[in-house]
Amino acid sequence: MEVSVIRNSQARICREELAYRVNKCCIGSEFISIKARNRISLYGETTRRNEIKKLCCSQRSIRCEAVVSDKAPFFKSTPRTRSLKGVRLFVGLPLNTVSDCNIVNHTKAIAAGLRALKLLGVEGVELPIFWGVAEKESPGNYRWSGYLAIAEMVKKMGLKLHVSLCFHGSKQPNIPLPDWVTRIGETKPGIYFTDRSGSQYKECLSFGVDDVPVLDGKTPMEVYRCFLESFKSEFSDYLGNTITGITIGLGPDGELRYPSYQTRKLSDGAGEFQCYDKHMLAALKHYAEANGNPLWGLSGPHDAPSYDQQPNSSAFFSDGGSWESEYGDFFLSWYSSLLVSHADRVLSLASSAFSGTGLPLCGKLPLLHQWHKLRSRPSELTAGFYCNGDHDRYEAFAETFAKSSCKMIMPGMDLSDEHQSLDSLSSPESLLAHIKTCCKKYGVVVSGQNSTVPILGGFERIIENLKDENTVIDLFTYQRMGALFFSPDHFHAFTEFVLNLSQFKLPEDDLRAEKEEDNGGGKTLTTSMQAA
């Protein structure tokens, strides 16, 4: 069937055949990164324009089975006064691209998605590689075949690949820690983070066991080193050509933090301290005795709220509360220092393992903007980010990243203060600006990501962050490919975003056609397309 091309504001969104394939197959979620500065070597401007014309048709004419959000982040073209061609753009593959049985999911849909991204001019994709998949059954028994198959698909498509090595589990999709680690956890529950009520977080090992031989006689650091060395060996043919960067998992959901919230989304509460497994308590006891206050090492704060309780529901985070007492400084300094030490161990390990490859390494910080306008900043404190007087842990983390020549991934670059609830006292913009300043001070390059859920006005906010002349941002990864990503409204907005990044301008006849369609000119074509 011949499919007419329908012109629609700056981009043509997908030829019917390709749109049907990527939408009906419904792959996972969203992620991105583009290298516009090299785009001329891939496509001349005329060739690229023609390819996009071949690829695209109106999003309103595609009858797709993907979920379409009523919060689709429509993109408004921004003035193109400053080139963004130095920013490379990647899109994340679904979290369950490779299942826990080491099988590639949705192969045809992924191939169609890769083709669409290639024609748009996206540089590459990001692939999450889970410890629980690659070393599932027994220690040292690695299975890389599913991930190798994806690397080969990406290579043949002419795209680049950024891999994220995930030492955590994930509930969505259901990919737990390795089976052999879970079996150890059944007999040694102290390997998991534990809260005040005794509940365990089983998707990540406690930082208290980093150097404790709890994994069949090996420490987690020793096990991670073997994992990295095996990955390096198995993917050697792709390193430096197809694979152009590696993110090292640092904690829950890959982020450097304590699991102070039990879901990925910040709640209305303050979160909860995670210091009650036996190894963390032993470290606290030792720290208290070394500082001459043994009674302070018996437990965590007694007057802190629980996960969903607001900060003012108890005394700890209130003005003049325990958090700014001598005890509070003692506890929060210790709690945060363990997070810094964990980052230093893992990043130093990765830097050593990949020495000589020339591949850039990345680590991810969270953007804990909830309650940021409160003096105590409870969401940050429970996650391990203590800033008080001389203690600015964001600077400490930037210094640690610089020590290992590691880039810092910052999520939430689509967030603005304007769209936050007033009651949450949230300020993603000021927190992100502070972290950027810390990175600049220590010469740390920042890589950007968006939130996991499309945000109203998000694309415009991303552009503003990428234009920030005070911060070096060379890579942006959009989260993440899937059914919503390829839904007509969202994919249209994403295409506009890509064109703004690449400074790609449509010829005058296309601009006139846009005006005609806005005035109703495209209505007849859309109707005939749906009838076909």
Side-chain angles (χ1 to χ4, degrees):
M1 177 180 64
E2 283 286 325
V3 179
S4 299
V5 174
I6 302 176
R7 289 175 174 159
N8 190 0
S9 63
Q10 282 196 328
R12 322 291 187 261
I13 315 252
C14 281
R15 193 174 170 180
E16 185 183 59
E17 176 267 335
L18 181 56
Y20 175 83
R21 290 173 65 183
V22 295
N23 283 295
K24 185 174 177 66
C25 291
C26 291
I27 24 186
S29 56
E30 314 164 328
F31 189 138
I32 283 186
S33 156
I34 191 169
K35 190 172 185 178
R37 62 189 174 202
N38 286 341
R39 185 156 305 115
I40 288 181
S41 66
L42 296 176
Y43 299 101
E45 182 172 307
T46 302
T47 303
R48 183 162 172 255
R49 184 188 301 122
N50 291 338
E51 289 294 333
I52 292 179
K53 285 183 177 181
K54 292 178 183 177
L55 175 68
C56 300
C57 62
S58 169
Q59 84 270 17
R60 285 175 291 184
S61 68
I62 300 171
R63 290 188 291 177
C64 109
E65 298 180 17
V67 176
V68 179
S69 170
D70 59 358
K71 298 179 181 179
F74 288 104
F75 187 85
K76 297 178 182 178
S77 298
T78 57
R80 300 174 182 179
T81 57
R82 178 171 180 254
S83 175
L84 294 171
K85 290 186 178 182
V87 181
R88 296 176 295 135
L89 183 64
F90 281 67
V91 174
L93 292 170
L95 291 174
N96 66 341
T97 294
V98 177
S99 72
D100 63 347
C101 296
N102 198 32
I103 297 173
V104 177
N105 288 319
H106 313 297
T107 304
K108 291 182 179 180
I110 289 176
L114 294 177
R115 187 176 301 112
L117 296 178
K118 173 69 175 178
L119 291 176
L120 277 180
V122 170
E123 181 179 338
V125 292
E126 176 262 358
L127 173 65
I129 296 180
F130 282 92
W131 182 26
V133 174
E135 196 181 1
K136 179 179 181 179
E137 296 177 354
S138 58
N141 180 16
Y142 301 105
R143 305 181 306 166
W144 301 107
S145 59
Y147 294 118
L148 284 166
I150 294 296
E152 186 63 21
M153 285 177 62
V154 173
K155 178 182 178 181
K156 289 182 177 178
M157 192 61 66
L159 293 167
K160 300 300 182 183
L161 182 64
H162 185 106
V163 297
S164 296
L165 302 180
C166 306
F167 295 113
H168 65 276
S170 177
K171 289 183 178 178
Q172 295 295 331
N174 183 25
I175 301 179
L177 293 180
D179 290 348
W180 63 276
V181 174
T182 301
R183 288 193 295 268
I184 292 173
E186 291 172 354
T187 58
K188 298 179 180 179
I191 68 174
Y192 298 124
F193 286 112
T194 306
D195 62 23
R196 185 169 52 189
S197 67
S199 297
Q200 297 175 324
Y201 182 83
K202 297 184 178 181
E203 296 172 34
C204 182
L205 296 180
S206 168
F207 302 149
V209 300
D210 276 358
D211 289 325
V212 182
V214 294
L215 300 179
D216 282 351
K218 291 186 176 182
T219 69
M221 291 299 112
E222 291 172 330
V223 172
Y224 296 163
R225 176 180 291 277
C226 292
F227 183 92
L228 297 179
E229 289 175 348
S230 177
F231 168 82
K232 180 181 176 182
S233 174
E234 290 294 324
F235 287 80
S236 60
D237 291 342
Y238 299 94
L239 299 181
N241 45 72
T242 299
I243 297 176
T244 57
I246 299 174
T247 295
I248 306 298
L250 296 174
D253 296 325
E255 298 176 338
L256 181 60
R257 61 178 174 86
Y258 290 98
S260 51
Y261 290 92
Q262 298 298 300
T263 62
R264 292 184 182 183
K265 184 178 180 181
L266 291 177
S267 70
D268 292 332
E272 191 167 318
F273 293 110
Q274 305 290 311
C275 60
Y276 295 91
D277 66 79
K278 71 175 187 178
H279 298 284
M280 291 284 286
L281 287 174
L284 176 60
K285 182 175 183 293
H286 177 77
Y287 183 78
E289 291 173 349
N291 283 272
N293 293 293
L295 293 180
W296 287 355
L298 299 179
S299 184
H302 69 280
D303 57 349
S306 59
Y307 295 108
D308 296 325
Q309 291 181 315
Q310 293 198 354
N312 59 4
S313 64
S314 61
F316 189 87
F317 293 117
S318 61
D319 285 346
S322 300
W323 72 277
E324 53 185 342
S325 67
E326 185 180 356
Y327 165 75
D329 182 66
F330 156 83
F331 173 79
L332 294 170
S333 295
W334 166 79
Y335 189 68
S336 186
S337 68
L338 260 64
L339 193 61
V340 176
S341 297
H342 175 74
D344 186 43
R345 288 190 187 101
V346 177
L347 295 180
S348 296
L349 179 69
S351 179
S352 175
F354 292 106
S355 176
T357 64
L359 289 173
L361 299 181
C362 307
K364 184 177 179 181
L365 257 65
L367 191 69
L368 300 159
H369 56 87
Q370 191 90 334
W371 307 114
H372 184 70
K373 293 180 181 179
L374 278 182
R375 286 183 58 242
S376 58
R377 299 179 181 176
S379 296
E380 295 166 70
L381 296 190
T382 56
F385 293 82
Y386 179 43
C387 300
N388 184 33
D390 295 332
H391 299 283
D392 188 333
R393 289 307 180 192
Y394 292 107
E395 282 203 8
F397 290 126
E399 186 176 12
T400 301
F401 275 59
K403 175 184 172 183
S404 296
S405 301
C406 186
K407 298 180 181 181
M408 185 180 290
I409 298 174
M410 285 306 309
M413 287 199 169
D414 55 338
L415 299 177
S416 63
D417 291 1
E418 177 186 358
H419 295 108
Q420 304 304 312
S421 166
L422 294 178
D423 294 336
S424 71
L425 297 178
S426 173
S427 182
E429 292 182 28
S430 60
L431 178 55
L432 184 59
H434 177 67
I435 299 174
K436 286 179 179 179
T437 299
C438 294
C439 288
K440 182 179 180 180
K441 179 177 179 179
Y442 290 94
V444 176
V445 176
V446 174
S447 294
Q449 287 186 5
N450 59 306
S451 306
T452 55
V453 178
I455 303 295
L456 183 65
F459 285 124
E460 292 95 322
R461 185 62 195 161
I462 293 170
I463 291 289
E464 291 304 311
N465 274 307
L466 296 181
K467 285 181 177 179
D468 187 352
E469 296 182 354
N470 295 317
T471 308
V472 178
I473 301 178
D474 71 334
L475 175 73
F476 186 84
T477 306
Y478 192 84
Q479 300 280 10
R480 180 178 294 274
M481 189 188 290
L484 176 57
F485 177 83
F486 283 112
S487 66
D489 289 342
H490 185 277
F491 194 60
H492 169 62
F494 175 69
T495 302
E496 298 269 9
F497 170 67
V498 174
L499 297 179
N500 265 261
L501 279 183
S502 64
Q503 302 290 286
F504 178 66
K505 296 183 179 180
L506 294 179
E508 290 301 319
D509 62 329
D510 286 348
L511 296 176
R512 285 194 296 271
E514 289 174 20
K515 291 183 179 180
E516 290 175 7
E517 189 197 352
D518 290 340
N519 293 327
K523 194 170 183 179
T524 303
L525 286 175
T526 301
T527 303
S528 63
M529 178 73 145
Q530 291 174 335

